[in-house]
Amino acid sequence: MESNRRRSRRHRHRDKPPVAPKPAAGGAASCTVHNIPDHILELILLRLDSSACLVRAASACKRWCRVVADAGFQHRFRALRIVLGHFVVPGSRLGLPSDGGHPIFVPSPTWRSIHGHESSSSLDFVPKIADSRNGLLLLLKKGGRTEPSCRINPALVVCKDLGFGPNGPNFTEIRPFRYWNPGRVQSGGAAVRGDQLPAGAAELPPPVLGLFLLDAGRPGGVSLSNFKVVAVTLRDHRLVRGRGVPGACVYSANWHDVSCNWEGTIDVPNTIGSFFFAGRANGSLYWGTVSRGGASRVALVLDEVTAGSSQISVPVSMQMHGKYEAFFRVIGSEDGTTLRVVRLLDQQVRVHARLRGCDKWVLQTRVRLPVDAVVAEGGPVVVAAHETYVLVSPRNGKWIFSVDLETKAVERVRKMGVYHQDQAYPYEQQWPPTLTA
Amino acid sequence: MEVDKGKGEAEETRKVAEADRDTVTLKSSDGKLFEVSKEAAARLSTVLAGMIAGGSIDDNGTDLKQIGSEALENVVDYCNKHANSIPSAALISSSISFNTAPFKEPEEWERKFVDRLSHDALFDLVEAANFLGMERLLDVTCHKISEMMKGKSPDQIREVFNIKNDYTKEELEEIRQELAWAFYDD
C-alpha cells in the first residue's frame, strides 16, 4: 500500500512537466509540431544533415516515419546509400575470399560524423570477407580453404551487424552455409541434396569467379529477410574443349531451397585466359577478362536478378602487370542508369561513361592524383570504387586517398599499416531504409 | 484660379506620397497593427509582393487572419532586421528553391533571431513564414527546428517536441534491428 502510494506520487511528479498537453491557449493560430502541415515537417527533416539523425527522428512517431518513408522525400534527401566505412583486406582479391590478413575497418566521414572520433580496428574475429552488403557480411569461416587454382571449398557464414562498438560495427553470425560443390549444400547434420546437381558435374567443383550476397528478389535491397548467396562459376563447355560457360549457383536464405541456375547463354572464347572481378553496377556483376596479350576489351556481365550472363566491350585496361582490378573497375551511376568504368592511367583517375543504347564510351571525368599518392614505386592502385568516389592507395604507401568523382576533390583518408594490392569492401547501409509507417 | 491650381498640386503631391509610402501596415488575427518596410516585405514575401503589386494593400491595415500578433511581430521584426542587414549572395540564391538549391547557413543575426524564440513562437513563425511565402525565413526556422533534433535519441526527440510514442514495442525493436547503425548510443 505504502509503496503503491509512493510510486503513484513519483509517477505523477515525473510525468507532469513534459507530457502536460498544451491547452489551445486562446490563440487560434497557435501551432505546434503536431499540427504543422506535412510539407513543413518535410522541410524540417530535410535539413537533417545525417541519415542517422533522420532514422532516429523517423522512429520518434509514426507520422514522422510516414513523411520520411515517402518516396518524394527520399528522392529529395541527398544520400542514397550510406557508406559507413570500409573493411580493408590486406592482400586480397576482390570478390574472392583470400588468405590475407585480418580485415581492418576504416570509417568513412559519415561514420566519423556519427561518432565524433576516428577509429579503425583490426577485426580479428572476421576471418575472410567474401562480400559485404547493407550491413550483412558474407564470410569464409576458418576451416574453409582456398586453393591456388581458385577452386574453393569453404564454409560460408552470413553475418549481420549489431550496431556499433567503440571500434566499428559488431557482427553476429546468423546463418552458416556449407558450400561444398555447386548443387550440393549441407549444414549441420542435414542431408546433402544432390538431386539438383547439373548433369555432368565433376567431382571437383568448377573454378569460382566470385561469391556474392544478393537480394532474394523482394524490394528494399539486401536485408536479413531478403538475401541469397550466389557462387558464380565457370564450367567447361560440354562440347568444345577449352571453352568455358559461366554459371551461377544460388543459395537462398532458406538454405534448404537450393537452386542451381545454369543460364549461361554465351560461352567464353578460349582466347580468354582469366577473369578478374571488376565491380558491381546497376544490378549486374562485371568481370574483366585477360587474354594472351593482357586485358581484353571483353567484359562478362551477370545480371543479379536473372543470373543470365552476357558480354559487352569496355575501354581496355592499359595495365599489363599486377592485378587488373587495381587499375580497372566498373561502377554504376547514382540514378542507376549509366554504366561507367574507372581506370587508373598516367597517375590519373579516369571515368568513362557508356552512351545509352550503344557500345560507345566517352571520357566523363579526369582527376589528377596528388604527388604523394603516386610517388611510391609502381604507382597507385584502386582499393575500392563507388558511384561517387574512388579509394586509391599508393602501392607501397600507407595512405588511402579518397577521390570524389563529382567535385574532383582528393582527400587523404587515413594512414594504413597495410600493404599494397589490398581490396576494400564497403560497410554500407541502404537508403531508403525499410521503414513502414 | 490661383487657388484651384494650388489645390490641384497639393492633391497631386498627396497621391504621389501615398504611392511612395515606404511602409505597409499589416493586421494580425487579433487586430493588432504592424508597420513594415514595403521594400523588405516585397523582397522577402512572395505573398506580400503579390498584394503590393496587385494594389490589394489596405492603408488601414491589411488583414492577415491566419497570423497571430506574436508571430506577425516576429515576421515584421525579421523583415526590418533584414532590411538593415547587408544583403548577401546567400539570400539571393536561397530564394530560388529551397528543395534543390543547397541551403545556405543562417547568418549570425538570423541565428540569434530564432534562438531567442520560445518553442511555440518558433512553430508559429514557421507557419506564418509558410503562409506569407517567405522562403528564407522558412529556411532559417526549419533549420533551427532540425537542429533541435540533431544528435538526439528518439526518446529525447519525443521529449523535446512533446510527441507521443505511437509505436508498439515490437515495431520499435524491429526498426532498431533493421537500422542498428543509426542507434549507436543507446
Side-chain angles (χ1 to χ4, degrees):
Chain A
M1 191 64 197
E2 171 57 27
S3 72
N4 236 352
R5 200 181 309 144
R6 203 188 306 136
R7 197 185 309 140
S8 75
R9 200 187 306 137
R10 188 159 14 106
H11 187 73
R12 207 184 313 138
H13 177 73
R14 206 201 296 145
D15 276 1
K16 219 176 198 171
V19 189
K22 280 248 136 54
S30 186
C31 175
T32 69
V33 75
H34 302 288
N35 54 19
I36 55 168
D38 273 3
H39 76 273
I40 295 185
L41 185 57
E42 188 174 296
L43 285 181
I44 293 167
L45 294 171
L46 274 173
R47 295 272 170 265
L48 290 170
D49 52 5
S50 102
S51 313
C53 280
L54 190 60
V55 168
R56 285 187 294 232
S59 37
C61 69
K62 289 188 176 175
R63 179 184 170 216
W64 290 26
C65 182
R66 181 167 49 73
V67 170
V68 169
D70 180 77
F73 181 90
Q74 298 194 341
H75 181 71
R76 282 189 285 277
F77 200 82
R78 300 156 303 278
L80 291 170
R81 212 174 45 175
I82 308 139
V83 179
L84 295 164
H86 285 84
F87 302 107
V88 177
V89 186
S92 62
R93 288 205 73 161
L94 194 64
L96 286 172
S98 78
D99 286 320
H102 294 305
I104 294 161
F105 180 67
V106 180
S108 73
T110 310
W111 195 90
R112 294 201 294 271
S113 77
I114 294 173
H115 293 265
H117 67 97
E118 214 169 302
S119 155
S120 76
S121 56
S122 175
L123 304 172
D124 47 8
F125 62 94
V126 177
K128 293 157 196 173
I129 298 179
D131 201 5
S132 160
R133 239 180 173 189
N134 275 358
L136 289 187
L137 280 183
L138 178 64
L139 304 175
L140 187 65
K141 267 193 100 173
K142 272 175 191 155
R145 60 199 162 88
T146 312
E147 288 170 17
S149 63
C150 272
R151 291 173 191 273
I152 59 169
N153 180 15
L156 297 175
V157 232
V158 174
C159 287
K160 158 92 180 131
D161 60 340
L162 281 181
F164 287 102
N167 294 318
N170 298 321
F171 282 87
T172 185
E173 181 177 319
I174 51 158
R175 183 162 286 122
F177 288 84
R178 185 89 187 125
Y179 175 92
W180 186 249
N181 199 341
R184 262 182 229 209
V185 169
Q186 56 181 189
S187 172
V192 178
R193 284 176 59 118
D195 52 318
Q196 288 175 12
L197 268 178
E203 282 294 306
L204 274 175
V208 170
L209 295 181
L211 292 161
F212 302 95
L213 263 178
L214 306 178
D215 71 67
R218 286 182 285 280
V222 172
S223 70
L224 256 184
S225 52
N226 184 25
F227 77 90
K228 63 186 178 190
V229 174
V230 174
V232 180
T233 57
L234 189 69
R235 67 178 173 94
D236 291 334
H237 196 285
R238 282 189 204 155
L239 302 173
V240 188
R241 268 184 88 90
R243 282 173 92 93
V245 181
C249 194
V250 183
Y251 305 79
S252 69
N254 171 16
W255 65 269
H256 292 287
D257 184 18
V258 173
S259 61
C260 264
N261 296 346
W262 297 95
E263 295 195 10
T265 50
I266 57 150
D267 53 8
V268 177
N270 48 12
T271 50
I272 288 175
S274 64
F275 294 84
F276 62 93
F277 184 58
R280 55 197 344 156
N282 308 337
S284 291
L285 305 165
Y286 289 83
W287 282 266
T289 56
V290 182
S291 52
R292 259 169 252 135
S296 81
R297 284 184 61 92
V298 178
L300 181 67
V301 189
L302 194 91
D303 189 297
E304 289 186 4
V305 177
T306 64
S309 52
S310 58
Q311 58 190 55
I312 60 163
S313 73
V314 290
V316 70
S317 159
M318 297 297 186
Q319 193 60 38
M320 293 301 161
H321 59 89
K323 289 180 178 172
Y324 291 92
E325 64 264 37
F327 306 94
F328 178 90
R329 291 292 176 90
V330 176
I331 57 171
S333 58
E334 276 197 291
D335 57 1
T337 58
T338 311
L339 185 65
R340 298 187 294 170
V341 152
V342 176
R343 291 158 75 202
L344 264 189
L345 191 64
D346 298 336
Q347 307 179 342
Q348 288 176 344
V349 173
R350 296 187 185 189
V351 180
H352 301 260
R354 190 173 192 242
L355 297 177
R356 224 162 291 177
C358 66
D359 236 5
K360 265 196 163 165
W361 294 80
V362 289
L363 183 65
Q364 194 183 39
T365 310
R366 188 162 49 182
V367 184
R368 180 164 286 282
L369 293 168
V371 177
D372 44 352
V374 298
V375 284
E377 195 189 332
V381 294
V382 175
V383 173
H386 282 264
E387 283 91 348
T388 51
Y389 67 93
V390 179
L391 292 187
V392 171
S393 172
R395 276 200 172 196
N396 299 322
K398 290 182 192 264
W399 286 90
I400 286 186
F401 293 83
S402 169
V403 181
D404 191 306
L405 297 180
E406 263 165 43
T407 64
K408 299 189 181 187
V410 182
E411 189 196 351
R412 198 186 275 241
V413 180
R414 71 163 266 113
K415 206 171 184 177
M416 301 289 302
V418 295
Y419 314 103
H420 63 93
Q421 301 199 340
D422 303 325
Q423 289 305 326
Y425 295 86
Y427 175 58
E428 61 180 19
Q429 293 293 343
Q430 176 119 350
W431 189 261
T434 45
L435 287 170
T436 41
Chain B
M1 195 66 188
E2 280 280 39
V3 177
D4 269 349
K5 196 185 169 195
K7 202 177 167 190
E9 266 174 7
E11 183 83 350
E12 197 85 322
T13 42
R14 201 176 66 84
K15 269 187 182 161
V16 168
E18 215 164 75
D20 270 4
R21 250 186 64 182
D22 53 2
T23 60
V24 286
T25 310
L26 305 175
K27 194 171 174 185
S28 70
S29 63
D30 43 351
K32 286 192 182 155
L33 297 177
F34 296 93
E35 289 243 319
V36 62
S37 139
K38 190 187 260 178
E39 184 274 329
R43 183 158 47 88
L44 295 169
S45 158
T46 52
V47 171
L48 290 179
M51 289 170 95
I52 291 165
S56 55
I57 285 286
D58 188 341
D59 283 342
N60 299 322
T62 305
D63 258 334
L64 298 172
K65 287 207 172 68
Q66 284 81 350
I67 304 176
S69 59
E70 198 193 345
L72 192 56
E73 190 178 348
N74 282 324
V75 166
V76 167
D77 196 12
Y78 177 83
C79 289
N80 290 338
K81 281 202 168 100
H82 203 288
N84 296 333
S85 82
I86 309 142
S88 76
L91 301 174
I92 296 157
S93 67
S94 77
S95 64
I96 300 166
S97 161
F98 38 78
N99 279 346
T100 52
F103 171 65
K104 297 288 190 298
E105 284 289 303
E107 299 190 8
E108 189 54 34
W109 70 269
E110 287 175 317
R111 203 177 284 277
K112 279 186 189 149
F113 178 80
V114 288
D115 277 352
R116 68 178 172 81
L117 297 176
S118 75
H119 205 108
D120 289 354
L122 187 59
F123 277 101
D124 286 344
L125 189 55
V126 167
E127 183 96 276
N130 178 51
F131 175 75
L132 290 171
M134 302 176 70
E135 292 193 358
R136 178 62 189 176
L137 181 57
L138 194 56
D139 250 357
V140 171
T141 45
C142 285
H143 180 79
K144 168 69 186 167
I145 296 170
S146 80
E147 278 194 334
M148 294 157 73
M149 299 177 193
K150 283 179 191 168
K152 292 199 167 67
S153 70
D155 273 341
Q156 289 168 322
I157 291 174
R158 282 184 212 113
E159 199 178 314
V160 168
F161 294 101
N162 203 3
I163 297 169
K164 195 176 173 295
N165 180 10
D166 53 0
Y167 284 109
T168 64
K169 236 180 179 175
E170 292 74 29
E171 284 168 332
L172 275 183
E173 194 47 44
E174 198 178 312
I175 291 179
R176 290 185 70 99
Q177 273 196 357
E178 276 291 320
L179 303 161
W181 54 274
F183 299 95
Y184 56 92
D185 56 356
D186 39 41

